[in-house]
Amino acid sequence: MSSDDLLVYINGEFVPESEAKVSVFDHGFLYGDGVFEGIRAYNGRVFKLKEHIDRLYDCAKVIDLQIPVTKEEFMDIILETLRRNNLRDAYIRPIVTRGVGDLGLDPRKCSRPMIIVITKPWGKLYGDLYEKGLKAVTVTVRRNAIDSLPPNIKSLNYLNNILAKIEANAKGGDEAIFLDHNGYISEGSGDNVFIVKNGAVYTPPTLNNLKGITRAVAIEIIQKLGIPFKETNLGLFDLYSADEIFVTGTAAEIAPITVIDGRTVGDGKPGEITKRLMDEFRKLTETEGVPIYE
Ligand code: PMP
């Protein structure tokens, strides 16, 4: 099987990518009505599978979407998709849409949710920038307000994030950093944000951003290493005066930011604490996780 015609799971069937299609009347397509996850498999193991599935079901619950299989069944579907595609290192994209409805918004008219699992071989999101560092820019578009579309929901509606990405691209940034409507640092377009100042690590609480699973792993590592850590609201002052900045995400992993809005962070190279966390994170991904082939 070539890597560009892998099998995709769609509602009980495994179909080649080229034939993996959803209806134009699916509300996931029409309205972004659905939820998704981004998961990684490293070295034959799925990293933090249960945590991702728990978040998927929590997000589904928040949008009143009933996933028609159990969490255990969903995990089995993911493992089976990886096995059928012979993958050991992969990016995994589970999607649950509201399903096929009419052109109205009413989710009650949708027949049944659609479950999709896409798996792809995957390398490094930011290539050589893990050594060089990323240029990040804060963007004028604000993160979705917590009382409109809570950023905790990993929904199929990623337009807010895409607007941020468009702005970052236009400003020559590798990643966008959102502020919320109060001017507090929220998150990146696809990752959570941390800063290091005077040997301590800080990150915003998860009210105005996604409860990142890599964020939680990074915090565990920080605490295990005995590095002082605090969850606290951060502003532009904290970002611009930080000694180190890094972002965390399933796709991004732990990635150093060395330029923020044109200002050099620290000495312009990935910082010592960031590098230690990157090393420890790599070790965890190589040894932990749910085995695919046992
Ligand atoms: N924030 C946003 C907006 C994201 O899309 C992601 C990626 N899922 C993250 C943060 C990081 O979350 P995680 O570490 O669970 O991948």
Side-chain angles (χ1 to χ4, degrees), residues 37-38 52 55 143 154 158 161 187-192 210-215 248-251:
E37 269 303 322
H52 283 281
R55 185 171 66 187
R143 188 69 177 117
K154 198 163 170 62
Y158 251 50
N161 312 58
E187 61 183 333
S189 73
D191 34 60
N192 294 104
L210 189 74
K211 295 176 193 294
I213 288 158
T214 321
R215 173 188 183 279
T248 63
T250 298

Side-chain angles (χ1 to χ4, degrees), residues 203-271:
T203 195
T206 56
L207 258 182
N208 67 0
N209 54 54
L210 189 74
K211 295 176 193 294
I213 288 158
T214 321
R215 173 188 183 279
V217 174
I219 293 170
E220 256 178 54
I221 299 172
I222 291 161
Q223 291 178 330
K224 204 186 72 199
L225 293 176
I227 300 168
F229 168 73
K230 196 167 172 207
E231 227 181 44
T232 184
N233 285 328
L234 299 169
L236 279 177
F237 182 92
D238 306 300
L239 204 60
Y240 292 161
S241 62
D243 300 328
E244 302 180 27
I245 306 175
F246 61 91
V247 292
T248 63
T250 298
E253 302 177 299
I254 296 182
I257 290 184
T258 49
V259 178
I260 175 74
D261 290 345
R263 295 153 174 84
T264 302
V265 181
D267 63 1
K269 299 200 190 88

Side-chain angles (χ1 to χ4, degrees), residues 40 42 89-91 120-127 130 250-251 253:
R40 289 279 280 268
Y42 294 92
D89 293 272
Y91 182 81
K120 296 292 270 181
W122 179 267
K124 287 193 164 296
L125 179 67
Y126 288 124
Y130 293 92
T250 298
E253 302 177 299

